[in-house]
């Protein structure tokens, strides 16, 4: 069976969006942990300045505030960029997984609808392409059994 080339971003939206959502949640939790630690570090450095007897207008406090703000911005930008990149990579990978599952499902639905056996074929680059010979062997055996039962 030849497949025409088409761009379908979500073959199995529930599965793909779940994987991407879990990945995004993990990145956000990690970023939140880093942000909390940065704020705790800022408070610790500020306390060190107070204990050293520095007055509130001392440049040390401005430096700590500036560095803290800059680090938070870099962490947030890193999280955003990481989320986008990993989301795109996961979209590609889950397409290679969900696409074959949808094609296998459609193949069996067509067999049930038409009551005729046709060999299954998947793209060589798809995940699960290694099970095609096993599925086709099983379908051939069932088809032969069905033909034998009708002929007897």
């Amino acid at each position: 069976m030849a497949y025409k080339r088409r761009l379908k971003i979500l073959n199995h939206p529930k599965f793909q969006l779940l994987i991407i959502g879990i990945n995004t949640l993990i990145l956000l939790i990690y970023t939140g942990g880093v942000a909390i630690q940065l704020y705790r570090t800022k408070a610790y450095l500020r306390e060190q300045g107070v204990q050293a007897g520095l007055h509130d207008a001392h440049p040390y406090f401005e430096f700590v505030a500036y560095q803290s703000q800059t680090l938070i911005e870099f962490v947030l930008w890193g999280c955003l960029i990481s989320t986008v990149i990993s989301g795109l990579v996961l979209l590609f990978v889950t397409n290679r997984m969900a696409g074959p599952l949808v094609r296998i499902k459609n193949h069996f639905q067509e067999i049930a609808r038409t009551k005729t056996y046709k060999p299954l074929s998947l793209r060589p680059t798809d995940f699960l392409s290694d099970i095609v010979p096993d599925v086709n062997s099983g379908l051939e055996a069932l088809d032969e059994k069905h033909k034998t039962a009708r002929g007897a």
Side-chain angles (χ1 to χ4, degrees), residues 84-117:
V84 169
I85 290 171
S86 65
L88 292 173
V89 168
L90 283 172
L91 192 59
F92 174 77
V93 170
T94 57
N95 249 348
R96 293 286 178 220
M97 293 169 62
L101 293 174
V102 169
R103 281 193 290 283
I104 290 169
K105 176 184 170 190
N106 292 340
H107 182 76
F108 281 109
Q109 286 175 340
E110 185 175 335
I111 289 173
R113 185 177 51 79
T114 63
K115 307 285 192 258
T116 58
Y117 160 72

Side-chain angles (χ1 to χ4, degrees), residues 74-149:
F74 285 145
V75 167
L76 292 177
W77 275 110
C79 177
L80 178 65
I81 292 167
S82 298
T83 300
V84 169
I85 290 171
S86 65
L88 292 173
V89 168
L90 283 172
L91 192 59
F92 174 77
V93 170
T94 57
N95 249 348
R96 293 286 178 220
M97 293 169 62
L101 293 174
V102 169
R103 281 193 290 283
I104 290 169
K105 176 184 170 190
N106 292 340
H107 182 76
F108 281 109
Q109 286 175 340
E110 185 175 335
I111 289 173
R113 185 177 51 79
T114 63
K115 307 285 192 258
T116 58
Y117 160 72
K118 285 191 255 178
L120 172 67
S121 66
L122 298 175
R123 297 178 296 213
T125 57
D126 284 336
F127 287 144
L128 303 175
S129 62
D130 58 326
I131 69 164
V132 171
D134 296 327
V135 170
N136 285 334
S137 295
L139 288 174
E140 285 175 29
L142 287 173
D143 189 47
E144 288 300 318
K145 184 178 179 181
H146 181 57
K147 286 178 183 175
T148 305

Side-chain angles (χ1 to χ4, degrees), residues 5 9 11 26 32 38 44 51 68-69 72 78 81 85 97 124 126 137:
R5 213 66 179 134
I9 295 174
N11 288 322
I26 290 169
L38 287 173
Y44 173 76
Q51 286 180 1
S68 177
Q69 185 63 35
I72 287 292
I81 292 167
I85 290 171
M97 293 169 62
D126 284 336
S137 295

